[in-house]
Short mmCIF file of all heavy atoms in Angstrom, two decimals:
data_model
loop_
_atom_site.label_atom_id
_atom_site.label_comp_id
_atom_site.label_asym_id
_atom_site.label_seq_id
_atom_site.Cartn_x
_atom_site.Cartn_y
_atom_site.Cartn_z
N MET A 1 30.24 2.89 -23.25
CA MET A 1 29.16 2.13 -22.64
C MET A 1 29.14 2.33 -21.13
O MET A 1 28.08 2.46 -20.55
CB MET A 1 29.31 0.65 -23.01
CG MET A 1 28.18 -0.19 -22.53
SD MET A 1 26.65 0.35 -23.34
CE MET A 1 25.74 -1.11 -23.34
N LYS A 2 30.31 2.38 -20.51
CA LYS A 2 30.37 2.58 -19.06
C LYS A 2 29.82 3.95 -18.68
O LYS A 2 29.12 4.09 -17.68
CB LYS A 2 31.81 2.43 -18.55
CG LYS A 2 32.31 1.00 -18.57
CD LYS A 2 33.71 0.92 -18.03
CE LYS A 2 34.23 -0.51 -18.13
NZ LYS A 2 35.59 -0.62 -17.62
N LYS A 3 30.13 4.96 -19.50
CA LYS A 3 29.62 6.30 -19.22
C LYS A 3 28.10 6.33 -19.32
O LYS A 3 27.43 6.98 -18.53
CB LYS A 3 30.23 7.32 -20.18
CG LYS A 3 31.68 7.61 -19.89
CD LYS A 3 32.22 8.65 -20.83
CE LYS A 3 33.70 8.90 -20.56
NZ LYS A 3 34.24 9.92 -21.46
N PHE A 4 27.57 5.61 -20.30
CA PHE A 4 26.12 5.56 -20.47
C PHE A 4 25.46 4.92 -19.25
O PHE A 4 24.48 5.44 -18.72
CB PHE A 4 25.77 4.78 -21.74
CG PHE A 4 24.28 4.59 -21.92
CD1 PHE A 4 23.49 5.64 -22.32
CD2 PHE A 4 23.68 3.36 -21.68
CE1 PHE A 4 22.12 5.49 -22.48
CE2 PHE A 4 22.32 3.19 -21.83
CZ PHE A 4 21.54 4.26 -22.24
N LEU A 5 25.99 3.82 -18.78
CA LEU A 5 25.43 3.15 -17.61
C LEU A 5 25.54 4.02 -16.37
O LEU A 5 24.63 4.06 -15.55
CB LEU A 5 26.11 1.80 -17.40
CG LEU A 5 25.83 0.74 -18.46
CD1 LEU A 5 26.63 -0.52 -18.19
CD2 LEU A 5 24.35 0.41 -18.51
N LEU A 6 26.65 4.73 -16.24
CA LEU A 6 26.82 5.64 -15.11
C LEU A 6 25.77 6.75 -15.16
O LEU A 6 25.16 7.09 -14.15
CB LEU A 6 28.24 6.24 -15.11
CG LEU A 6 28.53 7.25 -14.02
CD1 LEU A 6 28.44 6.59 -12.64
CD2 LEU A 6 29.90 7.86 -14.22
N ALA A 7 25.55 7.30 -16.34
CA ALA A 7 24.56 8.37 -16.51
C ALA A 7 23.15 7.86 -16.16
O ALA A 7 22.39 8.54 -15.46
CB ALA A 7 24.59 8.91 -17.93
N VAL A 8 22.82 6.67 -16.63
CA VAL A 8 21.50 6.10 -16.32
C VAL A 8 21.36 5.89 -14.81
O VAL A 8 20.32 6.19 -14.22
CB VAL A 8 21.28 4.78 -17.10
CG1 VAL A 8 20.04 4.05 -16.61
CG2 VAL A 8 21.18 5.06 -18.58
N GLY A 9 22.40 5.39 -14.18
CA GLY A 9 22.36 5.18 -12.74
C GLY A 9 22.18 6.47 -11.97
O GLY A 9 21.38 6.55 -11.04
N LEU A 10 22.90 7.51 -12.35
CA LEU A 10 22.78 8.80 -11.67
C LEU A 10 21.40 9.42 -11.88
O LEU A 10 20.83 10.00 -10.95
CB LEU A 10 23.87 9.76 -12.15
CG LEU A 10 25.29 9.41 -11.73
CD1 LEU A 10 26.28 10.35 -12.37
CD2 LEU A 10 25.43 9.46 -10.21
N LEU A 11 20.85 9.29 -13.08
CA LEU A 11 19.52 9.83 -13.34
C LEU A 11 18.45 9.10 -12.54
O LEU A 11 17.50 9.71 -12.07
CB LEU A 11 19.21 9.77 -14.83
CG LEU A 11 19.95 10.79 -15.69
CD1 LEU A 11 19.67 10.54 -17.16
CD2 LEU A 11 19.57 12.20 -15.32
N SER A 12 18.61 7.81 -12.36
CA SER A 12 17.61 7.07 -11.59
C SER A 12 17.66 7.47 -10.12
O SER A 12 16.63 7.56 -9.46
CB SER A 12 17.80 5.56 -11.76
OG SER A 12 19.01 5.14 -11.17
N ILE A 13 18.86 7.73 -9.61
CA ILE A 13 18.98 8.19 -8.22
C ILE A 13 18.36 9.57 -8.07
O ILE A 13 17.62 9.85 -7.13
CB ILE A 13 20.45 8.21 -7.77
CG1 ILE A 13 20.98 6.78 -7.68
CG2 ILE A 13 20.62 8.93 -6.44
CD1 ILE A 13 22.48 6.69 -7.49
N ALA A 14 18.62 10.46 -9.02
CA ALA A 14 18.06 11.81 -8.98
C ALA A 14 16.54 11.76 -9.08
O ALA A 14 15.84 12.50 -8.40
CB ALA A 14 18.65 12.66 -10.10
N GLY A 15 16.02 10.89 -9.92
CA GLY A 15 14.58 10.75 -10.06
C GLY A 15 13.92 10.29 -8.78
O GLY A 15 12.84 10.75 -8.41
N THR A 16 14.57 9.39 -8.07
CA THR A 16 14.03 8.91 -6.80
C THR A 16 13.99 10.03 -5.78
O THR A 16 13.03 10.18 -5.04
CB THR A 16 14.89 7.74 -6.26
OG1 THR A 16 14.93 6.73 -7.25
CG2 THR A 16 14.32 7.18 -4.99
N ALA A 17 15.04 10.84 -5.73
CA ALA A 17 15.08 11.95 -4.79
C ALA A 17 13.99 12.97 -5.10
O ALA A 17 13.35 13.50 -4.19
CB ALA A 17 16.45 12.61 -4.81
N MET A 18 13.76 13.25 -6.37
CA MET A 18 12.75 14.23 -6.74
C MET A 18 11.35 13.69 -6.50
O MET A 18 10.44 14.44 -6.19
CB MET A 18 12.92 14.63 -8.20
CG MET A 18 14.15 15.47 -8.43
SD MET A 18 14.30 16.00 -10.13
CE MET A 18 13.07 17.30 -10.15
N ALA A 19 11.16 12.39 -6.62
CA ALA A 19 9.84 11.79 -6.42
C ALA A 19 9.41 11.89 -4.97
O ALA A 19 8.23 11.83 -4.67
CB ALA A 19 9.85 10.34 -6.88
N ALA A 20 10.36 12.03 -4.06
CA ALA A 20 10.01 12.15 -2.65
C ALA A 20 9.18 13.40 -2.40
O ALA A 20 8.32 13.41 -1.55
CB ALA A 20 11.28 12.17 -1.80
N GLY A 21 9.41 14.45 -3.17
CA GLY A 21 8.62 15.67 -3.06
C GLY A 21 8.88 16.44 -1.79
O GLY A 21 9.64 16.04 -0.93
N LYS A 22 8.20 17.57 -1.70
CA LYS A 22 8.33 18.44 -0.53
C LYS A 22 7.47 17.94 0.61
O LYS A 22 6.43 17.35 0.38
CB LYS A 22 7.87 19.85 -0.88
CG LYS A 22 8.84 20.64 -1.66
CD LYS A 22 8.38 22.07 -1.73
CE LYS A 22 9.45 22.87 -2.43
NZ LYS A 22 9.20 24.28 -2.34
N PRO A 23 7.89 18.26 1.83
CA PRO A 23 7.01 17.99 2.97
C PRO A 23 5.74 18.85 2.83
O PRO A 23 5.82 20.00 2.38
CB PRO A 23 7.84 18.41 4.18
CG PRO A 23 9.25 18.44 3.70
CD PRO A 23 9.19 18.75 2.24
N CYS A 24 4.63 18.33 3.23
CA CYS A 24 3.35 19.02 3.02
C CYS A 24 3.28 20.36 3.76
O CYS A 24 2.78 21.34 3.20
CB CYS A 24 2.20 18.12 3.46
SG CYS A 24 1.93 16.74 2.33
N GLU A 25 3.76 20.42 4.98
CA GLU A 25 3.67 21.68 5.73
C GLU A 25 4.51 22.77 5.08
O GLU A 25 4.12 23.94 5.08
CB GLU A 25 4.06 21.46 7.19
CG GLU A 25 3.03 20.67 7.98
CD GLU A 25 1.62 21.27 7.91
OE1 GLU A 25 1.46 22.49 8.06
OE2 GLU A 25 0.67 20.49 7.70
N GLU A 26 5.66 22.40 4.51
CA GLU A 26 6.50 23.39 3.83
C GLU A 26 5.79 23.93 2.60
O GLU A 26 5.74 25.15 2.38
CB GLU A 26 7.83 22.74 3.44
CG GLU A 26 8.79 23.67 2.74
CD GLU A 26 10.08 22.99 2.31
OE1 GLU A 26 10.44 21.95 2.89
OE2 GLU A 26 10.71 23.51 1.38
N LEU A 27 5.21 23.05 1.80
CA LEU A 27 4.51 23.48 0.60
C LEU A 27 3.27 24.29 0.97
O LEU A 27 2.97 25.30 0.34
CB LEU A 27 4.12 22.27 -0.25
CG LEU A 27 3.41 22.60 -1.56
CD1 LEU A 27 4.27 23.48 -2.46
CD2 LEU A 27 3.02 21.32 -2.28
N LYS A 28 2.57 23.88 1.99
CA LYS A 28 1.38 24.60 2.44
C LYS A 28 1.74 26.03 2.84
O LYS A 28 1.02 26.98 2.49
CB LYS A 28 0.74 23.85 3.61
CG LYS A 28 -0.55 24.45 4.11
CD LYS A 28 -1.11 23.60 5.24
CE LYS A 28 -2.26 24.27 5.93
NZ LYS A 28 -2.76 23.48 7.06
N SER A 29 2.86 26.20 3.53
CA SER A 29 3.31 27.54 3.92
C SER A 29 3.66 28.39 2.71
O SER A 29 3.33 29.58 2.67
CB SER A 29 4.53 27.43 4.83
OG SER A 29 4.21 26.79 6.02
N GLU A 30 4.32 27.80 1.72
CA GLU A 30 4.67 28.53 0.50
C GLU A 30 3.41 28.97 -0.25
O GLU A 30 3.33 30.10 -0.73
CB GLU A 30 5.54 27.67 -0.41
CG GLU A 30 6.93 27.43 0.12
CD GLU A 30 7.74 26.48 -0.74
OE1 GLU A 30 7.31 26.14 -1.87
OE2 GLU A 30 8.82 26.06 -0.28
N ILE A 31 2.44 28.10 -0.36
CA ILE A 31 1.18 28.43 -1.06
C ILE A 31 0.45 29.53 -0.30
O ILE A 31 -0.05 30.49 -0.90
CB ILE A 31 0.31 27.17 -1.24
CG1 ILE A 31 0.99 26.21 -2.21
CG2 ILE A 31 -1.09 27.55 -1.73
CD1 ILE A 31 0.33 24.84 -2.29
N ALA A 32 0.39 29.42 1.03
CA ALA A 32 -0.27 30.44 1.84
C ALA A 32 0.39 31.80 1.66
O ALA A 32 -0.29 32.83 1.55
CB ALA A 32 -0.27 30.03 3.30
N ALA A 33 1.72 31.82 1.60
CA ALA A 33 2.44 33.08 1.41
C ALA A 33 2.08 33.71 0.06
O ALA A 33 1.90 34.93 -0.03
CB ALA A 33 3.94 32.84 1.51
N LYS A 34 1.98 32.90 -0.98
CA LYS A 34 1.61 33.43 -2.30
C LYS A 34 0.19 33.98 -2.31
O LYS A 34 -0.07 35.03 -2.90
CB LYS A 34 1.75 32.34 -3.37
CG LYS A 34 3.19 31.99 -3.69
CD LYS A 34 3.27 30.90 -4.74
CE LYS A 34 4.71 30.51 -5.00
NZ LYS A 34 4.82 29.46 -6.01
N ILE A 35 -0.72 33.27 -1.66
CA ILE A 35 -2.11 33.73 -1.61
C ILE A 35 -2.20 35.02 -0.80
O ILE A 35 -2.87 35.97 -1.20
CB ILE A 35 -3.02 32.63 -1.01
CG1 ILE A 35 -3.07 31.43 -1.96
CG2 ILE A 35 -4.42 33.16 -0.77
CD1 ILE A 35 -3.75 30.20 -1.37
N ASP A 36 -1.51 35.06 0.34
CA ASP A 36 -1.52 36.27 1.18
C ASP A 36 -0.92 37.46 0.44
O ASP A 36 -1.39 38.59 0.59
CB ASP A 36 -0.75 36.02 2.48
CG ASP A 36 -1.45 35.04 3.40
OD1 ASP A 36 -2.67 34.82 3.23
OD2 ASP A 36 -0.77 34.48 4.29
N ALA A 37 0.12 37.22 -0.36
CA ALA A 37 0.77 38.30 -1.11
C ALA A 37 -0.18 38.93 -2.12
O ALA A 37 -0.02 40.09 -2.49
CB ALA A 37 2.01 37.77 -1.82
N LYS A 38 -1.18 38.18 -2.55
CA LYS A 38 -2.17 38.72 -3.48
C LYS A 38 -3.31 39.43 -2.77
O LYS A 38 -4.24 39.90 -3.39
CB LYS A 38 -2.73 37.59 -4.36
CG LYS A 38 -1.70 37.03 -5.31
CD LYS A 38 -2.29 35.99 -6.22
CE LYS A 38 -1.21 35.50 -7.18
NZ LYS A 38 -1.74 34.58 -8.17
N GLY A 39 -3.23 39.48 -1.43
CA GLY A 39 -4.23 40.20 -0.65
C GLY A 39 -5.48 39.41 -0.31
O GLY A 39 -6.46 39.97 0.15
N ALA A 40 -5.45 38.12 -0.53
CA ALA A 40 -6.62 37.29 -0.23
C ALA A 40 -6.75 37.04 1.27
O ALA A 40 -5.76 37.00 1.99
CB ALA A 40 -6.53 35.97 -0.98
N SER A 41 -7.98 36.89 1.71
CA SER A 41 -8.23 36.52 3.11
C SER A 41 -9.48 35.66 3.16
O SER A 41 -10.22 35.56 2.18
CB SER A 41 -8.41 37.78 3.97
OG SER A 41 -9.53 38.52 3.53
N GLY A 42 -9.71 35.03 4.28
CA GLY A 42 -10.91 34.21 4.42
C GLY A 42 -10.85 32.92 3.64
O GLY A 42 -11.85 32.47 3.09
N TYR A 43 -9.70 32.31 3.56
CA TYR A 43 -9.53 31.05 2.86
C TYR A 43 -8.94 30.02 3.82
O TYR A 43 -8.48 30.35 4.89
CB TYR A 43 -8.62 31.21 1.64
CG TYR A 43 -7.18 31.49 1.99
CD1 TYR A 43 -6.27 30.45 2.17
CD2 TYR A 43 -6.72 32.79 2.17
CE1 TYR A 43 -4.95 30.69 2.52
CE2 TYR A 43 -5.40 33.05 2.51
CZ TYR A 43 -4.53 32.00 2.69
OH TYR A 43 -3.23 32.24 3.04
N SER A 44 -8.97 28.76 3.40
CA SER A 44 -8.32 27.72 4.20
C SER A 44 -7.56 26.78 3.27
O SER A 44 -7.95 26.57 2.13
CB SER A 44 -9.35 26.94 5.02
OG SER A 44 -10.21 26.20 4.16
N LEU A 45 -6.46 26.27 3.79
CA LEU A 45 -5.67 25.25 3.09
C LEU A 45 -5.65 24.02 3.97
O LEU A 45 -5.49 24.12 5.19
CB LEU A 45 -4.24 25.74 2.87
CG LEU A 45 -4.04 26.87 1.89
CD1 LEU A 45 -2.59 27.34 1.89
CD2 LEU A 45 -4.45 26.47 0.48
N GLU A 46 -5.84 22.87 3.35
CA GLU A 46 -5.93 21.63 4.10
C GLU A 46 -5.09 20.55 3.41
O GLU A 46 -5.10 20.46 2.18
CB GLU A 46 -7.40 21.21 4.11
CG GLU A 46 -7.79 20.19 5.11
CD GLU A 46 -9.30 19.96 5.07
OE1 GLU A 46 -10.07 20.90 4.81
OE2 GLU A 46 -9.68 18.81 5.30
N VAL A 47 -4.37 19.75 4.17
CA VAL A 47 -3.62 18.63 3.63
C VAL A 47 -4.51 17.39 3.73
O VAL A 47 -5.00 17.06 4.80
CB VAL A 47 -2.30 18.40 4.41
CG1 VAL A 47 -1.57 17.19 3.88
CG2 VAL A 47 -1.42 19.63 4.36
N VAL A 48 -4.74 16.77 2.57
CA VAL A 48 -5.60 15.57 2.53
C VAL A 48 -4.91 14.48 1.73
O VAL A 48 -4.01 14.74 0.94
CB VAL A 48 -6.98 15.89 1.91
CG1 VAL A 48 -7.75 16.88 2.75
CG2 VAL A 48 -6.84 16.41 0.49
N ASP A 49 -5.34 13.25 1.92
CA ASP A 49 -4.83 12.14 1.12
C ASP A 49 -5.25 12.34 -0.33
O ASP A 49 -6.33 12.89 -0.60
CB ASP A 49 -5.38 10.81 1.62
CG ASP A 49 -4.80 10.40 2.97
OD1 ASP A 49 -3.65 10.78 3.25
OD2 ASP A 49 -5.50 9.72 3.73
N LYS A 50 -4.41 11.88 -1.25
CA LYS A 50 -4.72 12.03 -2.67
C LYS A 50 -6.05 11.34 -2.98
O LYS A 50 -6.29 10.21 -2.58
CB LYS A 50 -3.61 11.42 -3.52
CG LYS A 50 -3.81 11.65 -4.99
CD LYS A 50 -2.63 11.20 -5.79
CE LYS A 50 -2.87 11.55 -7.25
NZ LYS A 50 -1.70 11.30 -8.06
N GLY A 51 -6.90 12.06 -3.67
CA GLY A 51 -8.20 11.52 -4.04
C GLY A 51 -9.28 11.73 -3.00
O GLY A 51 -10.43 11.40 -3.23
N ALA A 52 -8.93 12.28 -1.83
CA ALA A 52 -9.90 12.49 -0.76
C ALA A 52 -10.24 13.96 -0.59
O ALA A 52 -10.73 14.38 0.45
CB ALA A 52 -9.36 11.93 0.55
N THR A 53 -10.01 14.76 -1.63
CA THR A 53 -10.28 16.19 -1.56
C THR A 53 -11.79 16.42 -1.52
O THR A 53 -12.52 15.91 -2.38
CB THR A 53 -9.68 16.91 -2.79
OG1 THR A 53 -8.29 16.61 -2.84
CG2 THR A 53 -9.87 18.40 -2.70
N PRO A 54 -12.27 17.18 -0.53
CA PRO A 54 -13.70 17.49 -0.48
C PRO A 54 -14.16 18.19 -1.76
O PRO A 54 -13.39 18.92 -2.39
CB PRO A 54 -13.81 18.43 0.72
CG PRO A 54 -12.61 18.13 1.56
CD PRO A 54 -11.54 17.77 0.59
N SER A 55 -15.41 18.00 -2.13
CA SER A 55 -15.91 18.54 -3.40
C SER A 55 -15.94 20.06 -3.43
O SER A 55 -15.89 20.65 -4.51
CB SER A 55 -17.31 18.00 -3.68
OG SER A 55 -18.20 18.38 -2.64
N ASP A 56 -15.99 20.71 -2.27
CA ASP A 56 -16.02 22.18 -2.25
C ASP A 56 -14.62 22.79 -2.17
O ASP A 56 -14.47 23.99 -1.97
CB ASP A 56 -16.89 22.68 -1.11
CG ASP A 56 -16.41 22.22 0.26
OD1 ASP A 56 -15.63 21.26 0.33
OD2 ASP A 56 -16.82 22.83 1.26
N HIS A 57 -13.58 21.99 -2.32
CA HIS A 57 -12.19 22.44 -2.30
C HIS A 57 -11.57 22.27 -3.68
O HIS A 57 -12.04 21.48 -4.49
CB HIS A 57 -11.36 21.62 -1.30
CG HIS A 57 -11.64 21.92 0.13
ND1 HIS A 57 -12.86 21.71 0.72
CD2 HIS A 57 -10.83 22.42 1.10
CE1 HIS A 57 -12.80 22.04 2.00
NE2 HIS A 57 -11.57 22.49 2.25
N LYS A 58 -10.49 23.02 -3.92
CA LYS A 58 -9.74 22.91 -5.17
C LYS A 58 -8.32 22.48 -4.83
O LYS A 58 -7.70 23.02 -3.91
CB LYS A 58 -9.70 24.27 -5.87
CG LYS A 58 -8.92 24.28 -7.15
CD LYS A 58 -8.91 25.67 -7.76
CE LYS A 58 -8.03 25.66 -9.00
NZ LYS A 58 -7.92 27.00 -9.57
N VAL A 59 -7.78 21.50 -5.55
CA VAL A 59 -6.41 21.05 -5.33
C VAL A 59 -5.46 22.10 -5.89
O VAL A 59 -5.55 22.47 -7.05
CB VAL A 59 -6.15 19.68 -6.00
CG1 VAL A 59 -4.69 19.29 -5.86
CG2 VAL A 59 -7.04 18.62 -5.39
N VAL A 60 -4.54 22.59 -5.03
CA VAL A 60 -3.58 23.63 -5.45
C VAL A 60 -2.14 23.15 -5.36
O VAL A 60 -1.22 23.91 -5.65
CB VAL A 60 -3.77 24.93 -4.64
CG1 VAL A 60 -5.11 25.57 -4.97
CG2 VAL A 60 -3.65 24.68 -3.15
N GLY A 61 -1.93 21.90 -4.95
CA GLY A 61 -0.57 21.36 -4.89
C GLY A 61 -0.58 19.92 -4.43
O GLY A 61 -1.56 19.44 -3.85
N THR A 62 0.52 19.22 -4.72
CA THR A 62 0.70 17.86 -4.22
C THR A 62 2.02 17.80 -3.48
O THR A 62 2.94 18.57 -3.76
CB THR A 62 0.71 16.82 -5.36
OG1 THR A 62 1.75 17.14 -6.27
CG2 THR A 62 -0.62 16.79 -6.09
N CYS A 63 2.11 16.89 -2.53
CA CYS A 63 3.31 16.79 -1.70
C CYS A 63 3.54 15.34 -1.28
O CYS A 63 2.71 14.47 -1.57
CB CYS A 63 3.18 17.69 -0.48
SG CYS A 63 1.65 17.48 0.45
N GLU A 64 4.66 15.13 -0.61
CA GLU A 64 5.06 13.82 -0.12
C GLU A 64 4.98 12.76 -1.22
O GLU A 64 4.35 11.72 -1.07
CB GLU A 64 4.25 13.43 1.11
CG GLU A 64 4.54 14.36 2.29
CD GLU A 64 3.86 13.96 3.58
OE1 GLU A 64 3.36 12.84 3.68
OE2 GLU A 64 3.85 14.80 4.48
N GLY A 65 5.64 13.09 -2.34
CA GLY A 65 5.73 12.14 -3.44
C GLY A 65 4.42 11.89 -4.15
O GLY A 65 4.22 10.85 -4.75
N GLY A 66 3.49 12.84 -4.08
CA GLY A 66 2.22 12.70 -4.76
C GLY A 66 1.18 11.91 -3.99
O GLY A 66 0.11 11.62 -4.50
N THR A 67 1.46 11.58 -2.72
CA THR A 67 0.50 10.81 -1.93
C THR A 67 -0.51 11.69 -1.21
O THR A 67 -1.53 11.21 -0.75
CB THR A 67 1.22 9.94 -0.88
OG1 THR A 67 1.96 10.78 0.00
CG2 THR A 67 2.15 8.94 -1.54
N LYS A 68 -0.21 12.98 -1.13
CA LYS A 68 -1.11 13.92 -0.45
C LYS A 68 -1.33 15.13 -1.33
O LYS A 68 -0.55 15.42 -2.22
CB LYS A 68 -0.53 14.34 0.90
CG LYS A 68 -0.32 13.16 1.82
CD LYS A 68 -0.37 13.59 3.26
CE LYS A 68 -0.15 12.39 4.14
NZ LYS A 68 -1.33 11.93 4.77
N GLU A 69 -2.43 15.85 -1.06
CA GLU A 69 -2.77 17.05 -1.82
C GLU A 69 -3.03 18.21 -0.87
O GLU A 69 -3.45 18.00 0.26
CB GLU A 69 -4.01 16.80 -2.67
CG GLU A 69 -3.84 15.71 -3.70
CD GLU A 69 -5.11 15.36 -4.44
OE1 GLU A 69 -6.22 15.51 -3.88
OE2 GLU A 69 -5.00 14.94 -5.60
N ILE A 70 -2.78 19.41 -1.37
CA ILE A 70 -3.12 20.63 -0.63
C ILE A 70 -4.42 21.12 -1.25
O ILE A 70 -4.49 21.39 -2.45
CB ILE A 70 -2.03 21.73 -0.77
CG1 ILE A 70 -0.65 21.19 -0.43
CG2 ILE A 70 -2.41 22.94 0.05
CD1 ILE A 70 -0.40 20.91 1.01
N ALA A 71 -5.45 21.23 -0.42
CA ALA A 71 -6.77 21.64 -0.90
C ALA A 71 -7.09 23.05 -0.41
O ALA A 71 -6.83 23.39 0.74
CB ALA A 71 -7.84 20.67 -0.40
N TYR A 72 -7.61 23.88 -1.30
CA TYR A 72 -7.91 25.29 -1.04
C TYR A 72 -9.42 25.47 -1.01
O TYR A 72 -10.15 24.92 -1.85
CB TYR A 72 -7.30 26.14 -2.16
CG TYR A 72 -7.78 27.57 -2.22
CD1 TYR A 72 -7.14 28.54 -1.46
CD2 TYR A 72 -8.81 27.94 -3.06
CE1 TYR A 72 -7.57 29.87 -1.55
CE2 TYR A 72 -9.24 29.25 -3.14
CZ TYR A 72 -8.61 30.22 -2.38
OH TYR A 72 -9.02 31.52 -2.45
N LYS A 73 -9.90 26.26 -0.05
CA LYS A 73 -11.32 26.60 0.01
C LYS A 73 -11.46 28.08 0.33
O LYS A 73 -10.82 28.56 1.26
CB LYS A 73 -12.05 25.78 1.07
CG LYS A 73 -13.53 26.10 1.14
CD LYS A 73 -14.25 25.31 2.18
CE LYS A 73 -15.72 25.69 2.18
NZ LYS A 73 -16.43 25.07 3.28
N ARG A 74 -12.23 28.77 -0.46
CA ARG A 74 -12.51 30.18 -0.21
C ARG A 74 -13.54 30.32 0.89
O ARG A 74 -14.48 29.54 0.96
CB ARG A 74 -13.09 30.82 -1.46
CG ARG A 74 -12.09 31.56 -2.26
CD ARG A 74 -12.74 32.03 -3.51
NE ARG A 74 -12.70 33.47 -3.61
CZ ARG A 74 -13.05 34.13 -4.68
NH1 ARG A 74 -13.51 33.48 -5.72
NH2 ARG A 74 -12.96 35.42 -4.72
N GLY A 75 -13.32 31.35 1.71
CA GLY A 75 -14.19 31.74 2.82
C GLY A 75 -15.42 31.01 2.94
O GLY A 75 -16.17 30.63 3.59
#
C-alpha cells in the first residue's frame, strides 16, 4: 500500500511538471525551424491567448500549460 501511494504521489508531481509546458518562444522557434527545413517562406507565427486565434490563422501548437497558442499564417 505504501508503494502504491508513493507511486501516485510521484505521478502527480510529474503530471504537474508536464502541464507547465514549454515556453512559447522556445516552441515557436522549434516550429519555425521545421517549417524552414521544408523550404517554406512568406509565413508568420504568432503567440496568442488560447481561443483568440485570428480566423485567417491556423493553430500549430500550444504552450505555457495550454494557456497560449502558436498561430500560423501563410504569406
Side-chain angles (χ1 to χ4, degrees):
M1 185 63 152
K2 288 181 183 180
K3 288 182 182 180
F4 176 74
L5 292 176
L6 178 63
V8 170
L10 290 175
L11 287 174
S12 67
I13 292 170
T16 303
M18 290 183 76
K22 282 190 175 190
C24 289
E25 289 306 315
E26 181 182 337
L27 182 60
K28 183 178 171 183
S29 296
E30 290 175 11
I31 293 170
K34 288 180 183 180
I35 294 171
D36 291 341
K38 292 183 178 185
S41 62
Y43 69 90
S44 66
L45 292 174
E46 196 176 327
V47 177
V48 296
D49 289 330
K50 185 173 183 172
T53 304
S55 60
D56 60 342
H57 287 63
K58 178 181 176 184
V59 175
V60 293
T62 58
C63 51
E64 295 185 14
T67 60
K68 300 206 180 255
E69 298 174 331
I70 308 288
Y72 167 87
K73 181 180 179 187
R74 261 175 120 171

